Amino acid sequence: MAGPRVVIIGAGVVGAALADELSARGWTEVTVVDQGPLPATGGSSSHAPGLVFQANASKTMTELARYTVEKFCSLDVDGQPCFLQVGGLEVATTPERVTELHRRHGWLTAWGVESRILTADECVEKHPLVNRDRVLAGLHIPTDGLAKAVLAVEAQIRRATGRGVTFLARHEVLDVLRTDGEVTGVRTDQGDLAADIVVCCAGIWGPRIARMVGMNLPLTPLAHQLAWTGPVPALAGQTEEAVRPILRHQDADLYYRDRHDTLGIGFYGHRPMPVTADEILSVDEAAGMPSVLKFTEDDFADAWTETRSLLPATREAKVEEGINGLFSFTTDGLPLLGESPDVKGFWVAEAVWVTHSAGVARAVAEWLVDGHCSSFDLHECDVNRFEPHQLSPEYVLARDCQNFAEVYDILHPLQPSGTPRPIRTSPFHTRQQELGAFFLEANGWERPHWYEANAHLVEGRSIVTPNDWAARYWSPIVGAEAQVTRETVAMYDMTALKRLEVSGRGAADFLERLCTGKVAKSVGSVTYTLLLDHDGGIRSDITVARLAPDVFQVGANGNLDLDWFTRHLPADGTVQVRDITPGTCCVGLWGPLARDVLQPLTDEDFSATGLKYFRARRAHIGSVPVTAMRLSYVGELGWELYTTADLGQKLWDTLWRAVQPLGGIAAGRGAFNSLRLEKGYRSFGTDMTYEHDPYEAGVSFAVKADKEDFVGKAALERRRADMRRKLTCLTIEDPRAVVMGKEPVYDGRRAVGYVTSAAFGHTVGKGIAYAWLPAELAVPGTAVHIGYFDERVEAVVAEEPLFDPAMSRLRG
């Protein structure tokens, strides 16, 4: 098959790779345009230093890099290799960095990439230029190396051209043509090109191209310094381009690579130097490459001083050339992939570095050809993941510059985000401040993790203090709040969870088509259900409450759920979807005394039979109209109570007056997470993602196989017969051995899986870790080990849920 007509904008390392991957899948009516010459087009690919380090906290990003390495190793141009697999070496010069290297080694092991922690002497053996007196340890990844980006572009152009793809150099894109909300072509300075699909791979120019269709990309080009020494006497006579591992000295924001008898030095420690896409010159306007700005020597002074200390051989050399090269940065450090929400057929593959280029191209090619990506979980990378405030120019610039400054920093999983903050506050915010809330951010919301007002509750309780790393952004108050929730009652701010309203005469049929469960039930029903992709993978888990015959409220996981619903809306206008989160708020009232709090405040019957588990009703709590849903993610009796934002503080105050005489409290997210893991509740995006199906994730109860049809049903039936892994509950007896997620799990010496969510169970008295394991090991009683930094933590597979397996507390 020739496939649809595709125009790719940008023939850098991403655009060339995408043309290759698409044509390999039979789509050959592909045209690639670039304003520059081929294969060195003048964008970031043309000056990229080419270092490929695969270590990343994101499993997806590591897998994208691993595929890039594998593909580039297979490419050459007339015998010149496109990848020099010299290995990668990250060195530590501080004790804190040594600890961080062990964490990074854990990521690589969890994601299936070979690596090893080296002693200082072994670091010098691998890279003899390193000063033994400066280095404490190292992390060696043998499959890392140097990507020859321009050669890789040429090699992939040749492969794609051989299959019929057309490449047009010196074609500047002036506009993206569209009719009735769909792309029809691309206008260039050399004429128009018809297209059914347009993919923007324009890199640092991406925001300018996307703006042609009204799309706002949260991407900022920032200058990054790269310098080259003159000849280094210690390297005299080196005829091969690279023989030593690529080197990272992250304590000083530096990296290094060989180039025959000289060294390349990259530096992230200088001030952020952002530009806008509109400020970047065109190829014809620029004196050299438009992605290369003038080298600012003063910004490089600290880098050169540190280099001569770490690599003493450079003291006999000089910095002879340098550039401030432009690269793309995003607000969360991840790529921007996917289709515009407003213009059908306009896709982006942006903010992609050489390291991940071929992997991203494969992912986008699968997405385009098959309708979904089967090789990688892309939920972190989808361009439609952002909330509206995350697209504001102020936010984008601040966060992109922050990501530049932190690119080599040691970042804790709970580390607070930077400016601008606060952005979103719930109606309860003032009351929470009065209670001494410690806030962390969630989708822009200020969300309490604990309350200092509860500090007195710690006294007399057995609250386990975790290890130093896990104790950051933590307080023993978290444990007290969890225990009090199970003893009396607690109020939780659930406003940060996304809420959608689906309405219209076609709403019930629409949701039935997308959901794995039966949601078109009686008014007042609440259903926990899943959204699946066409390959049977889990796109989200949601709750659907039927509030009226044609009105449903959906408890969603984020903006990607809104995007999924919007893309599937029927064309006849019988269904409307809107985000009601900003105008509403929610208190989770949970605990054994929750009914004692709520019932006196209302004339409605909130008894066990008056409002059963997973039912909803409209009611008044005091003078506040609410939608009450009887469900709980902490495993206790209670309700989610929703009202409009203007009445939120009144709802809080009404409940607070009733809670206090019963010994109730306000509790934070730290306690919530501990309690949900005790109950075995999954968190989408952490415990399960697009790559998992309901059977292996332990949520098959949400699939009603007798439904006539739903998206992903046929594929799910095929996957059911081949379950090789399972999301598994592990318990840890050592009270201080609290792991935090993304650690490798071992069966003996063999790495077999990885941790997803983890916390200490303050009411079951054990550490809890959920992990993906081979199905044959997911048997209660099986002993495993978790790799936590440089330790092995003993764990055992447990029956789940750990708390209240009979569900008596929830249903009481």
Side-chain angles (χ1 to χ4, degrees):
M1 67 175 181
R5 297 169 299 176
V6 179
V7 172
I8 299 172
I9 302 173
V13 73
V14 180
L18 179 57
D20 180 40
E21 296 285 343
L22 284 174
S23 59
R25 288 164 176 77
W27 281 21
T28 55
E29 288 196 39
V30 177
T31 303
V32 185
V33 298
D34 200 290
Q35 62 177 329
L38 299 176
T41 62
S44 300
S45 303
S46 301
H47 68 73
L51 287 81
V52 175
F53 287 94
Q54 297 166 84
N56 198 293
S58 164
K59 179 174 181 282
T60 297
M61 294 299 280
T62 296
E63 290 175 340
L64 293 170
R66 181 168 55 197
Y67 178 78
T68 301
V69 168
E70 292 169 355
K71 182 175 184 180
F72 282 12
C73 282
S74 71
L75 298 176
D76 72 89
V77 175
D78 300 331
Q80 299 180 75
C82 294
F83 195 79
L84 307 178
Q85 201 159 44
V86 293
L89 177 63
E90 302 183 10
V91 294
T93 59
T94 63
E96 294 79 11
R97 186 66 63 174
V98 173
T99 302
E100 172 71 357
L101 292 187
H102 282 284
R103 184 166 73 126
R104 297 172 69 80
H105 171 61
W107 295 340
L108 288 162
T109 304
W111 314 147
V113 177
E114 179 189 354
S115 66
R116 189 167 72 88
I117 297 291
L118 304 184
T119 65
D121 288 336
E122 289 174 320
C123 290
V124 176
E125 289 177 14
K126 292 288 184 185
H127 203 299
L129 299 188
V130 169
N131 184 349
R132 170 63 180 80
D133 294 336
R134 290 291 315 280
V135 175
L136 302 177
L139 173 63
H140 182 241
I141 307 97
T143 52
D144 285 350
L146 284 167
K148 309 289 290 179
V150 174
L151 278 180
V153 169
E154 184 172 359
Q156 292 174 104
I157 286 176
R158 290 185 181 187
R159 285 163 46 130
T161 301
R163 302 187 192 106
V165 173
T166 300
F167 285 80
L168 299 176
R170 298 287 186 179
H171 280 60
E172 182 180 358
V173 173
L174 303 177
D175 199 5
V176 177
L177 307 177
R178 55 204 182 278
T179 301
D180 297 329
E182 296 187 23
V183 299
T184 58
V186 170
R187 175 155 294 158
T188 79
D189 59 353
Q190 305 293 319
D192 293 353
L193 300 168
D196 305 302
I197 295 170
V198 174
V199 187
C200 179
C201 303
I204 54 178
W205 290 279
R208 192 162 76 189
I209 299 297
R211 201 165 58 240
M212 294 175 181
V213 297
M215 190 175 183
N216 187 0
L217 285 186
L219 180 161
T220 302
L222 281 109
H224 159 59
Q225 290 198 303
L226 175 66
W228 294 96
T229 70
V232 178
L235 304 182
Q238 180 176 317
T239 57
E240 294 182 63
E241 179 177 348
V243 296
R244 278 162 289 277
I246 54 176
L247 179 66
R248 276 208 278 207
H249 175 24
Q250 291 172 294
D251 285 319
D253 298 305
L254 286 161
Y255 64 77
Y256 305 92
R257 58 151 295 177
D258 290 10
R259 188 177 68 178
H260 303 292
D261 63 348
T262 69
L263 287 177
I265 307 168
F267 187 43
Y268 286 105
H270 55 79
R271 61 191 169 91
M273 293 183 275
V275 302
T276 68
D278 292 330
E279 293 175 308
I280 304 170
L281 299 177
S282 68
V283 171
D284 292 332
E285 293 171 326
M289 281 191 285
S291 60
V292 172
L293 306 181
K294 183 180 178 181
F295 187 62
T296 50
E297 293 184 17
D298 290 347
D299 290 304
F300 196 72
D302 291 343
W304 185 231
T305 298
E306 181 62 24
T307 295
R308 286 178 292 177
S309 174
L310 182 74
L311 307 175
T314 59
R315 296 170 188 168
E316 301 179 64
K318 296 180 180 180
V319 174
E320 293 199 348
E321 58 180 307
I323 63 170
N324 287 5
L326 294 176
F327 287 96
S328 300
F329 282 79
T330 61
T331 56
D332 56 10
L334 294 165
L336 308 173
L337 312 179
E339 188 179 18
S340 161
D342 302 312
V343 179
K344 185 177 180 181
F346 184 82
W347 290 66
V348 299
E350 288 290 343
V352 182
W353 292 7
V354 173
T355 298
H356 310 101
S357 57
V360 163
R362 177 177 179 175
V364 174
E366 289 179 352
W367 200 348
L368 286 167
V369 175
D370 302 328
H372 57 85
C373 177
S374 57
S375 296
F376 309 97
D377 163 37
L378 296 182
H379 86 275
E380 295 177 311
C381 306
D382 194 312
V383 70
N384 297 295
R385 65 189 180 269
F386 301 102
E387 296 291 324
H389 74 272
Q390 293 173 318
L391 300 175
S392 70
E394 178 190 34
Y395 181 95
V396 170
L397 180 61
R399 292 294 172 91
D400 288 357
C401 289
Q402 178 181 334
N403 278 328
F404 176 89
E406 293 178 347
V407 70
Y408 279 175
D409 286 3
I410 298 171
L411 300 177
H412 190 275
L414 295 178
Q415 186 160 322
S417 54
T419 57
R421 188 180 171 208
I423 298 175
R424 308 171 87 180
T425 56
S426 80
F428 321 134
H429 187 69
T430 300
R431 297 293 185 256
Q432 292 164 346
Q433 288 178 308
E434 293 168 356
L435 294 172
F438 177 83
F439 292 100
L440 294 177
E441 183 187 333
N443 290 326
W445 293 99
E446 295 295 316
R447 184 165 66 183
H449 271 242
W450 69 81
Y451 294 87
E452 289 296 330
N454 295 326
H456 67 283
L457 297 173
V458 175
E459 186 176 352
R461 294 180 179 274
S462 177
I463 307 295
V464 171
T465 300
N467 54 78
D468 292 344
W469 183 251
R472 298 186 188 185
Y473 311 107
W474 179 88
S475 166
I477 298 170
V478 167
E481 290 178 356
Q483 292 176 3
V484 171
T485 301
R486 298 236 188 268
E487 295 164 0
T488 57
V489 62
M491 294 166 54
Y492 288 83
D493 182 358
M494 304 301 290
T495 303
L497 299 182
K498 198 169 196 68
R499 294 170 292 284
L500 308 177
E501 182 185 86
V502 181
S503 61
R505 58 186 174 85
D509 290 340
F510 169 75
L511 288 169
E512 282 290 321
R513 170 67 179 151
L514 294 181
C515 296
T516 61
K518 294 181 178 179
V519 298
K521 297 183 290 190
S522 62
V523 172
S525 65
V526 183
T527 305
Y528 174 83
T529 185
L530 306 174
L531 304 176
L532 302 184
D533 212 329
H534 297 278
D535 66 345
I538 300 171
R539 286 198 63 94
S540 190
D541 65 333
I542 60 174
T543 55
V544 179
R546 192 170 200 175
L547 304 182
D550 293 341
V551 179
F552 296 80
Q553 182 171 311
V554 175
N557 280 298
N559 211 57
L560 290 180
D561 293 343
L562 174 60
D563 181 67
W564 185 252
F565 281 160
T566 302
R567 291 182 188 280
H568 287 83
L569 285 174
D572 60 8
T574 58
V575 183
Q576 295 80 46
V577 177
R578 66 187 184 102
D579 183 357
I580 61 172
T581 313
T584 56
C585 57
C586 178
V587 175
L589 181 71
W590 295 314
L593 301 184
R595 185 173 286 117
D596 297 314
V597 171
L598 197 62
Q599 190 60 77
L601 300 175
T602 181
D603 293 334
E604 297 290 338
D605 183 1
F606 278 87
S607 66
T609 55
L611 186 63
K612 295 181 179 180
Y613 186 52
F614 264 79
R615 297 288 297 180
R617 81 155 42 116
R618 299 261 172 76
H620 283 84
I621 306 302
S623 58
V624 180
V626 302
T627 298
M629 298 186 194
R630 193 176 163 196
L631 59 158
S632 163
Y633 284 92
V634 301
E636 291 291 338
L637 168 69
W639 296 266
E640 291 181 357
L641 302 171
Y642 298 89
T643 192
T644 52
D646 60 321
L647 292 169
Q649 185 168 297
K650 182 65 174 177
L651 174 63
W652 181 277
D653 290 345
T654 301
L655 293 171
W656 185 243
R657 284 193 297 270
V659 158
Q660 288 182 285
L662 299 177
I665 61 170
R669 188 68 180 183
F672 177 94
N673 197 49
S674 172
L675 296 171
R676 83 156 177 94
L677 288 176
E678 289 183 341
K679 193 59 182 169
Y681 291 140
R682 278 64 168 144
S683 173
F684 178 81
T686 303
D687 299 316
M688 54 190 186
T689 67
Y690 292 3
E691 67 176 303
H692 306 118
D693 68 53
Y695 301 106
E696 58 192 12
V699 288
S700 59
F701 64 88
V703 178
K704 301 304 178 186
D706 59 344
K707 282 188 66 173
E708 182 175 341
D709 197 16
F710 52 82
V711 172
K713 181 180 181 181
L716 187 60
E717 288 302 313
R718 294 191 294 270
R719 294 176 69 146
R720 183 178 187 177
D722 188 28
M723 189 170 66
R724 301 180 183 182
R725 57 186 175 179
K726 289 185 68 175
L727 184 61
T728 308
C729 179
L730 306 177
T731 57
I732 303 166
E733 293 297 330
D734 182 350
R736 281 184 52 81
V738 177
V739 302
M740 299 201 68
K742 303 187 178 182
E743 297 89 358
V745 180
Y746 295 88
D747 176 28
R749 297 178 60 86
R750 181 174 61 110
V752 292
Y754 59 92
V755 174
T756 57
S757 295
F760 190 81
H762 292 283
T763 70
V764 300
K766 297 179 179 180
I768 306 168
Y770 272 78
W772 282 99
L773 296 181
E776 64 271 16
L777 293 178
V779 178
T782 301
V784 294
H785 290 85
I786 299 172
Y788 189 62
F789 294 97
D790 59 345
E791 303 174 7
R792 292 289 183 92
V793 175
E794 294 182 357
V796 64
V797 176
E799 292 274 8
E800 59 171 332
L802 299 172
F803 179 81
D804 189 26
M807 302 282 283
S808 59
R809 303 196 42 135
L810 279 170
R811 299 181 186 277

